[in-house]
Amino acid sequence: ITENHLQPFGIPHGGVYCAVHESTASIAAQAWLGTKGVVVGTNNSTDFLRQSSVGEVITVTATPIHRGRTQQLWHLDSTDSNGRLIAQGQVRLANLEQEIPAEYLDKINKGYLDYIKSQTDLNVLIIDVSEKDFVKNQEDYVYILNEIQKKI
């Protein structure tokens, strides 16, 4: 939470949690739906349970309630760095049957990869496996295991 997230009374604006909930649910829902179509939010209900403060890191966890052919419903919990529940909500999404342009997927992938790379305090390992076949090629599999072992 930064100063930019505060409303005039000095506490985080509820819209911050709503936006993060919808974004998190959308990413999870799209990951589940894959290339079968795209997801769009149709309802967002968020309850604000506890104030947070500037400098606090909020973690959002998305749990599927229903994943069907035409729609999905996700439950979201926002917790602070002490594990206390700050906000909770539900987001309903519609599954639209349409092709996802490859350029759009590349743009999303690059955006998330750039963000993850910028988070120097995260314990993240990025391995480019685009030229690897770790299922059929034992050497590729061992390479990935060695990279993981070096990190831990």
Side-chain angles (χ1 to χ4, degrees), residues 59-131:
T59 300
V60 180
T61 303
T63 306
I65 296 171
H66 170 76
R67 294 182 292 194
R69 184 180 58 79
T70 61
Q71 64 181 337
Q72 299 182 49
L73 182 63
W74 290 78
H75 174 84
L76 298 113
D77 286 330
S78 290
T79 56
D80 65 14
S81 57
N82 294 317
R84 294 180 302 179
L85 191 60
I86 301 294
Q88 69 175 6
Q90 284 190 172
V91 173
R92 181 176 303 280
L93 303 116
N95 300 333
L96 304 179
E97 294 181 19
Q98 67 183 57
E99 189 173 320
I100 305 170
E103 301 82 30
Y104 176 73
L105 292 175
D106 288 340
K107 181 180 175 183
I108 290 175
N109 187 49
K110 183 181 180 331
Y112 282 113
L113 188 58
D114 289 347
Y115 172 77
I116 289 169
K117 286 179 178 178
S118 74
Q119 303 302 303
T120 56
D121 59 331
L122 295 179
N123 186 17
V124 175
L125 172 63
I126 300 171
I127 302 173
D128 182 358
V129 295
S130 56
E131 302 295 322

Side-chain angles (χ1 to χ4, degrees), residues 8-25:
F9 301 110
I11 61 174
H13 192 287
V16 172
Y17 300 109
C18 291
V20 171
H21 281 187
E22 185 149 345
S23 295
T24 304

